[in-house]
Amino acid sequence: MNEKDLALQNELLEKYPYLAVRPGSADHASFDVPADKAVEFARALRDNEGFSSINDVEGCDWGVDASPRFSAIWHVYNYDKHLYVRMNVYAQDNEKPRVPSLCSVWAGCNWHEREAFDLLGIEFEDHPDMRRILMWDEYPYHPLRKDFPLAGIEVPHPDPDTVAQTGVKVLPAPQNGGPFLATGGNTMRKSEPRALDQEWREGNRKPKNNGNNDA
């Protein structure tokens, strides 16, 4: 972390004492934010600190044995100072994970939060349109959870008319090109996740995974 990011981190810690620095963040100011302070801190970032842009929202499954298991992470940007802030909010309920929506602060959160809801099952409270965005509404799983098999799961086809005409099923499909791995301890640009090739076949033997992007 450079001097500007470190100065920003210390400044925000002093202004907002409910924040906690996320361990291991090597690039930008990064905080754990209590769920009941998430909207308040987001508005402060926008209105008082100049973070007008939401660049990304993502959900994270920290593992089936983790508690709390799920969190949502927002990446915001200050165009005038060229600084990022990353805010992480844990969902306290592992069975029905729920965190506040920040759509009321940054409207651009909308589809990103829907994606995290769809693929990880994290519900965003007070979201204006909390529906799935990729899978159909009745789909019973969340494909990016750590306990979802890479080979996929066969499920009933969502359109009974199509089934009656064709007899097709929704077949499991291996996630070729995933999962995505990123190296830690570096800048965001150099830590950009890259796909781990898992398309093993006779001419492409499965290599030993050394835990980095070049596996």
Side-chain angles (χ1 to χ4, degrees), residues 27 182-194 213:
D27 49 5
T183 56
N186 215 325
T187 63
M188 183 180 293
R189 177 175 295 178
K190 293 181 179 179
S191 297
E192 186 70 22
R194 297 180 182 177
N213 290 346

Side-chain angles (χ1 to χ4, degrees), residues 86-115:
R86 181 184 299 114
M87 53 182 296
N88 177 79
V89 177
Y90 284 106
Q92 296 305 311
D93 189 337
N94 289 346
E95 297 301 319
K96 295 183 178 180
R98 184 176 298 176
V99 297
S101 170
L102 298 186
C103 286
S104 63
V105 182
W106 297 290
C109 293
N110 192 316
W111 284 14
H112 294 289
E113 292 181 356
R114 284 180 61 189
E115 182 182 30

Side-chain angles (χ1 to χ4, degrees), residues 62-100:
W62 297 98
V64 294
D65 296 325
S67 188
R69 175 178 172 179
F70 299 97
S71 72
I73 304 169
W74 293 261
H75 303 259
V76 296
Y77 189 66
N78 183 317
Y79 281 103
D80 294 329
K81 297 181 179 179
H82 307 291
L83 290 169
Y84 283 96
V85 163
R86 181 184 299 114
M87 53 182 296
N88 177 79
V89 177
Y90 284 106
Q92 296 305 311
D93 189 337
N94 289 346
E95 297 301 319
K96 295 183 178 180
R98 184 176 298 176
V99 297

Side-chain angles (χ1 to χ4, degrees), residues 5 14-15 18 30 56 61 66 89 110-111 122 126 149 161:
D5 289 295
E14 184 175 349
K15 287 183 178 180
Y18 48 79
S30 183
D56 191 23
D61 178 354
V89 177
N110 192 316
W111 284 14
I122 302 171
D126 299 321
D161 292 336

